[in-house]
Amino acid sequence: MRLLAVEDNPDLVRMLGRLLEDAGFAMDHAGTVEDALLVLRSGEYAAVILDLGLPDGSGLSILREMRSWGDKTPVIALTARSAVADRVAGLACGADDYLVKPFAPEELVARLQALLRRTGTIVDQVIECGNVAFNPASRDVEIAGIPTILSARELELLDVLIRRHGRVVPKPAVEAQLFGLDDDLGSNAVEVYVHRLRRRLADAGASAQIVTVRGVGYMLGERPEPRPAA
Amino acid sequence: MRLRFGSLLSRILWWHAIAVLFTALAVSAGVYLFLDSTADRFQRDTLRIHAERARGALQAGAPGTTQIAAPNTGALDPPRTFSILVLDTAGRRLSGSGSAAAIADATIPRRSTPAYFVRRSRAAIFSGYSLPSVLNGSRVWIVAVQNLEHPDYIVDDIVKQFLLYGLAIVSPLLLLLLAVDAWIVRRALRPVRHASELVRTLNPQRLHVRVPEAQLPSEVRPLASAVNAALDRVVESYRTQRDFTADAAHELRTPITVTRMRIEAVEDPLLRAELKRDLDHLGRLVGQLLEIAELDGTLPALDDVVDLRGLAQETVSAIAPLVFRRGQSISLSGTEDPVQVRGNGEMIARAMNGLVENAVAHTPEGTAITVDVGADGSFRVCDDGPGIREDEQELVFRRFWRGDRSTADSSGLGLAIVSRIAEAHGAVVSLRSGDGETVFSIRFPLYAPPARDA
């Protein structure tokens, strides 16, 4: 799978190349707005990693240009500014995700995979969180290497949570996945299924757990290792 | 002693009063002198006419006699304030009429040419005209005299009255004029007052405002345009600083990102973990320093309408993974409806994040952190950690202050940033710690939608 990195810092380009190669991607790169537009017109890329601060202009102009000619390639914007205004502008211009420098390399890879999964570029891949593995295509679940049977609703719940594991999934999104939009659901319907799945995971010896962020939603994450003494 | 004037108005009033008084006196004096001299000339003409008429009557009288009786003609019977005397060369009175008895005949000038004279006695002031003539071959002087103290003589009285009336008219006029002055000056300076009000509202968030020069009096316009030019320069320097900050952010953050990636290649897992932690700390420090620099420089507009509840939800979502990795828990409570406040969304989000990060960094495993949004625009972060000692509560908002200097996770800038953001929004961060609970809270100004007619 080929990605394009639009980034002007040669060191970062080299490190990105190594990182993405390790993650199973091939990477081309462009250092300027001009080059990027040229390359994007000719090549087919699974995703674009786009630095917003380029020597000859803003990455946002590339994004706008791409979208204007109908290129729907998923784009992760990188910025050195934490400004929410930048993020809003980026998303408004059609960026699919957004990372602020300095970012953890694994975060970039995770976001890329999530993005490709969401856009259907990655389909067959098994999603893993700790020792919990989920195959979205076959809907098979393995916990600690042992195939586990879950009920349909439990599967839906695991599906929505594991696709965005490590991040909080808002409760409305969970509800929509579990019940569709039409179902009339009780006030604690989601809690019931979360409770069930949580117990199933624990019983099967999963190293991942569902945590409740009360007032916001749920998150599937690996159990924290005991904190090393600082 | 030098007069010092605090205001333009007092200066104008003072000098205007002096000018008006001076003008009033000068006009009065001028008019007085004019009236006086006119009256004088008029009087002299009258005297001369009476004397000449008397001479004509005498010559038409009895020729050849030296003794003359009082001529009983109209010409020798002038109005009551006048007397006609006829004197011979020895100064003897040959004839006399009217009230001129008190005047000593010897003092009346007898010259070869006509002469005016004024004589004062105890009872009266006489003014006269002595006209040389020849009667029956001998030289005589025909003298017309007027008693100026006679009640029928009123010219002097009129002039005196004029002065009194003049004063009585000028004084209220002067007051009226000064009142008009005050009104004119106040009115003329109204645009200046408006401009001052405008300039008073300037702060780093409101630098786009300019003094409207066109509405100002031309005397003040140079000052206004100088102020505007100064503002332009201030904005320019803010912009330079902001651009520098943005450039610096880019220049610093990219190499940190590169280093962060290089660390992945470190073989020793312990060393790798330590390097990661150090670099994360460095990255956060750089980020916070730049935030502080941005906040100290210019602040973006603070008049967005921001949903506090929505921002709190985003903040909690974003930090939750870190919280659970650290073995703590976090939840969002309070109202579930949107809470609209006025401010800058980005800065409010930073402040929220700063407070939550602070709670995460300074409490042990197992701590429950609660973020609470109130319908009154309040945002609170509570934790059930060990708390903050009372003597340290004031200090936590200081830049680079750290309760435990050995804590590598903390830059000591987080709460300073929060406090600065709150301040920019006209709010304060309050801290209450005790009874097993620590609460930081900020109350943002609620947005009141403009009343709309149905």
Side-chain angles (χ1 to χ4, degrees), chain A residues 7-9 11-16 18-19 51 53-54 79-87 100-106 108 166-168 170-172 209 211-216 219 222-230, chain B residues 242 246 249-251 253-258 260-265 276-277 279 283-284 291 294 309 312-314 316-318 320-321 324-328 330-333 336 345-346 349-350 360-361 363-366 370:
Chain A
E7 166 63 59
D8 61 313
N9 182 298
D11 282 339
L12 189 52
V13 169
R14 209 164 44 243
M15 298 316 297
L16 278 174
R18 209 174 294 167
L19 174 75
D51 188 351
L54 293 169
T79 179
R81 305 178 66 172
S82 55
V84 171
D86 252 17
R87 181 174 117 202
V100 179
K101 292 180 189 175
F103 49 84
E106 58 271 22
L108 176 63
R167 297 162 83 179
V168 179
K171 195 173 171 187
Q209 63 171 354
V211 288
T212 306
V213 182
R214 196 162 54 79
V216 182
M219 180 179 89
E222 284 185 68
R223 283 180 195 285
E225 295 154 27
R227 237 196 278 184
Chain B
R242 196 174 47 215
H250 191 259
E251 295 307 317
R253 284 179 169 177
T254 303
I256 291 177
T257 311
V258 171
R260 181 69 179 75
M261 289 184 164
R262 284 194 209 283
I263 288 173
E264 295 298 324
K276 271 187 193 175
R277 208 184 59 198
L279 199 69
R284 206 162 45 241
E291 273 182 35
E294 273 178 3
R309 162 79 196 185
Q313 191 161 334
E314 277 181 34
V316 172
S317 289
F324 287 102
R325 269 204 302 281
R326 292 180 63 109
Q328 298 153 325
I330 189 166
S331 63
L332 177 62
S333 70
E336 296 198 355
E346 179 190 338
R350 282 188 197 176
V360 173
T363 58
E365 213 174 316
T370 307

Side-chain angles (χ1 to χ4, degrees), chain B residues 81-104:
Chain B
T81 59
F82 290 90
S83 311
I84 301 291
L85 310 176
V86 181
L87 302 179
D88 65 9
T89 43
R92 280 169 303 177
R93 192 179 293 199
L94 301 179
S95 162
S97 74
S99 59
I103 193 165

Side-chain angles (χ1 to χ4, degrees), chain B residues 58-339:
Chain B
L58 279 176
Q59 280 169 344
T65 57
T66 51
Q67 289 285 329
I68 53 168
N72 201 11
T73 65
L76 289 179
D77 188 20
R80 277 170 299 170
T81 59
F82 290 90
S83 311
I84 301 291
L85 310 176
V86 181
L87 302 179
D88 65 9
T89 43
R92 280 169 303 177
R93 192 179 293 199
L94 301 179
S95 162
S97 74
S99 59
I103 193 165
D105 294 345
T107 65
I108 293 173
R110 296 184 300 280
R111 298 179 201 143
S112 55
T113 54
Y116 291 100
F117 63 92
V118 173
R119 291 293 173 270
R120 286 159 206 275
S121 73
R122 276 197 311 278
I125 303 171
F126 293 96
S127 151
Y129 182 71
S130 158
L131 178 69
S133 183
V134 176
L135 185 67
N136 298 334
S138 53
R139 181 164 273 262
V140 294
W141 281 268
I142 297 161
V143 181
V145 175
Q146 186 179 20
N147 179 2
L148 299 183
E149 293 292 299
H150 195 280
D152 284 1
Y153 182 81
I154 55 169
V155 175
D156 277 358
D157 296 334
I158 289 175
V159 172
K160 276 182 202 144
Q161 281 298 309
F162 167 78
L163 271 184
L164 277 176
Y165 279 122
L167 272 180
I169 291 169
V170 165
S171 320
L173 268 182
L174 174 61
L175 287 178
L176 184 67
L177 201 60
L178 293 183
V180 170
D181 273 354
W183 182 75
I184 289 173
V185 169
R186 280 185 168 279
R187 209 180 144 73
L189 290 183
R190 194 182 298 159
V192 178
R193 266 200 309 281
H194 285 321
S196 334
E197 288 300 321
L198 203 65
V199 173
R200 207 190 307 282
T201 65
L202 288 178
N203 56 35
Q205 295 86 57
R206 264 175 69 87
L207 281 178
H208 56 278
V209 177
R210 292 290 175 276
V211 180
E213 291 175 39
Q215 293 160 25
L216 287 175
S218 59
E219 292 86 345
V220 195
R221 228 173 278 158
L223 177 63
S225 85
V227 167
N228 284 345
L231 278 174
D232 287 342
R233 288 195 295 276
V234 168
V235 167
E236 184 52 39
S237 84
Y238 268 130
R239 189 170 298 137
T240 309
Q241 191 184 345
R242 196 174 47 215
D243 289 351
F244 170 77
T245 306
D247 292 347
H250 191 259
E251 295 307 317
L252 283 168
R253 284 179 169 177
T254 303
I256 291 177
T257 311
V258 171
T259 310
R260 181 69 179 75
M261 289 184 164
R262 284 194 209 283
I263 288 173
E264 295 298 324
V266 172
E267 298 278 337
D268 179 355
L270 203 64
L271 178 62
R272 192 166 64 223
E274 279 177 3
L275 285 176
K276 271 187 193 175
R277 208 184 59 198
D278 291 350
L279 199 69
D280 285 348
H281 179 223
L282 183 62
R284 206 162 45 241
L285 182 62
V286 164
Q288 289 184 331
L289 274 174
L290 292 169
E291 273 182 35
I292 283 264
E294 273 178 3
L295 288 172
D296 281 352
T298 181
L299 298 175
L302 291 171
D303 45 10
D304 303 346
V305 179
V306 180
D307 175 18
L308 209 59
R309 162 79 196 185
L311 274 189
Q313 191 161 334
E314 277 181 34
T315 304
V316 172
S317 289
I319 204 165
L322 172 70
V323 173
F324 287 102
R325 269 204 302 281
R326 292 180 63 109
Q328 298 153 325
S329 69
I330 189 166
S331 63
L332 177 62
S333 70
T335 178
E336 296 198 355
D337 299 320
V339 179

